[in-house]
């Protein structure tokens, strides 16, 4: 017990704390996810976030202290997103033949995701800056923060909404798509990537290669369309 306390004191005072806590928590969550038969409710990202949040709160560890170590994992998000281009390259001929339909689907999906959030926020009488932070909720968090800032929103709040949207989508997508009797993996993946960005794409990759490839495409299209169109549309209103 004394050795554990000494180890905790050492790690909590160094950047190793954030890195070690994140890796250990995610590995355990992934093991439990596999034992649960990849059930949506056991999503390892969800339980890693909840566990780390509880750990930081219980130990009184400031977030900057945690992130000083976790930033090494954060850096890998860039290469991970770039790596999603490989399954798209393998299907380039197929994607080229469907380019028009995919673009229209991305526009419709993005408009539905953003429009519904803005509409609900407006109906509930939320402050303008909160609504502006909700608008890019289905865009990956770093881009959502930049868009929210341009719209007059709160970047940190936009990141929270984006992460929650991704987690909710990854957890509920299978049930909703099964209820809608949507079977083709490519269609399921594109829908998941459109609504739930990176977290949804990661879930799609675990299910089927085609689902993962189309989810990655949807993720990229939403980033591009949202960055180009949302500021323009906001100026019109």
């Amino acid at each position: 017990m004394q050795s554990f306390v000494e180890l905790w004191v050492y790690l909590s005072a160094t950047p190793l704390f954030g890195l070690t806590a994140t890796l250990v928590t995610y590995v355990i969550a992934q093991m439990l996810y596999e034992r649960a038969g990849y059930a949506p409710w056991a999503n390892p990202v969800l339980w890693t976030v909840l566990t780390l949040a509880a750990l930081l709160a219980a130990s009184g560890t400031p977030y900057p202290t945690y992130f000083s170590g976790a930033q090494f994992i954060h850096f890998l998000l860039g290469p991970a997103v770039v790596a999603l281009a490989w399954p798209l390259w393998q299907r380039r001929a197929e994607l080229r033949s469907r380019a028009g339909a995919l673009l229209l689907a991305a526009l419709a999906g993005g408009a539905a995701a953003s429009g519904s959030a803005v509409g609900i926020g407006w109906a509930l009488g939320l402050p303008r800056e909160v609504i502006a932070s909700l608008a890019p909720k289905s865009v990956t968090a770093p881009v959502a923060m930049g868009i929210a800032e341009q719209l007059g929103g709160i970047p940190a709040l936009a990141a929270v909404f984006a992460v929650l949207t991704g987690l909710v989508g990854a957890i509920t997508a299978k049930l909703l798509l099964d209820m809608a009797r949507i079977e083709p993996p490519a269609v399921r993946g594109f829908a998941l990537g459109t609504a739930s960005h990176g977290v949804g794409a990661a879930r799609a990759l675990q299910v089927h290669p085609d689902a993962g490839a189309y989810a990655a495409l949807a993720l990229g299209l939403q980033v591009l369309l949202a960055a180009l169109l949302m500021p323009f549309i906001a100026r019109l209103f």
Side-chain angles (χ1 to χ4, degrees), residues 101-114 135-140 162 165-166 169 173 177 186-202 204 211-223 225-226 230:
L102 290 171
L103 180 58
L104 288 175
L107 282 168
S114 179
K137 69 177 182 63
S138 290
V139 184
T140 189
T165 298
L177 293 171
V187 178
R188 293 170 72 99
F190 195 85
L192 191 52
T194 297
S196 302
H197 48 82
V199 181
Y214 277 84
L217 175 63
L219 162 66
L221 287 174
Q222 289 307 313
V223 167
L225 293 173
M230 279 191 183

Side-chain angles (χ1 to χ4, degrees), residues 33 36-47 166-176 178 188 199 203 206-207:
Y33 184 46
Y38 299 99
W41 59 265
N43 187 286
V45 176
L46 170 65
W47 289 105
L167 289 173
V168 170
I171 293 170
T172 62
K174 185 180 186 301
L175 174 63
L176 295 176
D178 286 346
R188 293 170 72 99
V199 181
R203 170 61 180 160
Q206 293 176 327
V207 175

Side-chain angles (χ1 to χ4, degrees), residues 86-186:
W86 176 242
L88 299 180
W89 174 256
Q90 292 177 310
R91 296 163 177 81
R92 59 190 181 279
E94 176 185 333
L95 296 176
R96 193 180 299 115
S97 67
R98 298 177 175 178
L102 290 171
L103 180 58
L104 288 175
L107 282 168
S114 179
S116 61
V118 171
I120 292 173
W122 177 79
L124 294 175
L126 296 179
R128 184 185 181 282
E129 60 269 21
V130 176
I131 294 176
S133 304
L134 270 170
K137 69 177 182 63
S138 290
V139 184
T140 189
V143 180
M145 293 173 69
I147 295 174
E149 187 173 14
Q150 291 186 46
L151 300 180
I154 305 169
L157 192 57
V160 172
F161 288 144
V163 172
L164 289 176
T165 298
L167 289 173
V168 170
I171 293 170
T172 62
K174 185 180 186 301
L175 174 63
L176 295 176
L177 293 171
D178 286 346
M179 290 174 61
R181 298 183 180 180
I182 298 174
E183 298 297 336

Side-chain angles (χ1 to χ4, degrees), residues 46-75:
L46 170 65
W47 289 105
T48 299
V49 170
L50 292 178
T51 302
L52 288 175
L55 177 63
L56 295 182
S59 63
T61 303
Y63 182 78
T65 301
Y66 161 76
F67 190 72
S68 65
Q71 64 181 327
F72 300 112
I73 298 175
H74 179 77
F75 170 78

Side-chain angles (χ1 to χ4, degrees), residues 1-14:
M1 185 64 182
Q2 180 65 30
S3 299
F4 175 79
V5 172
E6 292 176 355
L7 178 62
W8 173 263
V9 172
Y10 171 73
L11 288 176
S12 63
T14 68

